[in-house]
Amino acid sequence: MKGFWMRLRIALVLTVVLGALLGGLYPLAVYWTGRLLFPFQASGSLVRAPDGTILGSALLGQNFSGPQYFHPRPSAAGEAGYDATASGGRNLAPSSRKLVEAVSRSIADYRKENLLSPDQRIPADAVTASASGLDPHISLANALLQLPRVARERKISHTELRKVLARYTTNSWLGLFGEPVVNVAMVNWALDGRLGGR
């Protein structure tokens, strides 16, 4: 019986010590390390206008629908899309008639909106939602197809617009993994002059 109480005491002491260590000290250490080493990311990657107004997060997409904006990927998050409380994809199979019809409509709308020829190849990210429905990035190929429309609507040169795109383009990692992507929200905020200039 003496051995039972000794083991019980050891188990209780270990439970309290591990609970304090893993449930208190470790999370605090991770939190403060993040705050000290990565303050922007640890605060939600919030983007602010020069007057201090929060525009949004650099990691979450927003719906920009006017012709003067670069348009993000379609979003299946919530009824209107880009609802952070309803993140998630549609989970439709490639053989789903509903998905095929939606993508076909999106391709036709994309071609019409950007004045593209019927044989112009459309990047997949222009007509399909990301897994989260909140991705702020589009492929560089998608952005370049939208560039003439945005330049025409804003009455700025293609060269000037390419410079803005380049500023918010992330290239593939080590030149091997992934493809160049453009943060649409950052580009649109910059074009609106909401980041303190173009």
Side-chain angles (χ1 to χ4, degrees):
M1 194 68 172
K2 185 178 177 184
F4 169 76
W5 294 112
M6 192 166 95
R7 287 189 193 102
L8 182 62
R9 188 178 57 151
I10 291 170
L12 289 174
V13 169
L14 279 173
T15 299
V16 170
V17 169
L18 289 173
L21 190 68
L22 300 176
L25 294 177
Y26 177 73
L28 283 173
V30 170
Y31 173 78
W32 286 111
T33 301
R35 299 291 295 174
L36 290 171
L37 299 179
F38 309 102
F40 178 68
Q41 293 88 340
S43 298
S45 301
L46 298 178
V47 178
R48 297 178 187 272
D51 65 0
T53 306
I54 295 174
L55 301 173
S57 172
L59 300 176
L60 295 175
Q62 294 186 13
N63 195 16
F64 293 90
S65 57
Q68 74 276 22
Y69 291 112
F70 285 93
H71 296 166
R73 299 181 70 142
S75 174
E79 291 298 316
Y82 291 99
D83 180 356
T85 64
S87 174
R90 291 188 186 111
N91 293 329
L92 297 175
S95 59
S96 165
R97 172 178 243 159
K98 186 176 177 182
L99 178 63
V100 170
E101 289 172 357
V103 169
S104 296
R105 263 193 318 276
S106 294
I107 289 171
D109 292 345
Y110 187 87
R111 281 197 173 113
K112 181 179 177 185
E113 176 181 65
N114 293 296
L115 305 176
L116 302 175
S117 66
D119 61 337
Q120 174 68 54
R121 188 178 170 149
I122 307 298
D125 67 296
V127 294
T128 57
S130 66
S132 68
L134 302 173
D135 191 351
H137 299 97
I138 61 173
S139 65
L140 183 57
N142 184 352
L144 292 175
L145 287 175
Q146 295 184 55
L147 186 140
R149 169 181 46 82
V150 176
R152 186 173 57 251
E153 291 293 325
R154 290 187 179 264
K155 297 177 177 41
I156 60 177
S157 72
H158 288 212
T159 304
E160 186 178 349
L161 200 47
R162 280 179 183 267
K163 287 179 186 173
V164 177
L165 279 180
R167 210 171 327 154
Y168 300 103
T169 297
T170 304
N171 291 311
S172 54
W173 189 63
L174 298 175
L176 299 171
F177 304 105
E179 64 178 304
V181 292
V182 178
N183 189 314
V184 179
M186 296 296 287
V187 169
N188 288 331
W189 291 329
L191 291 173
D192 281 348
R194 300 181 76 189
L195 297 179
R198 257 192 202 171

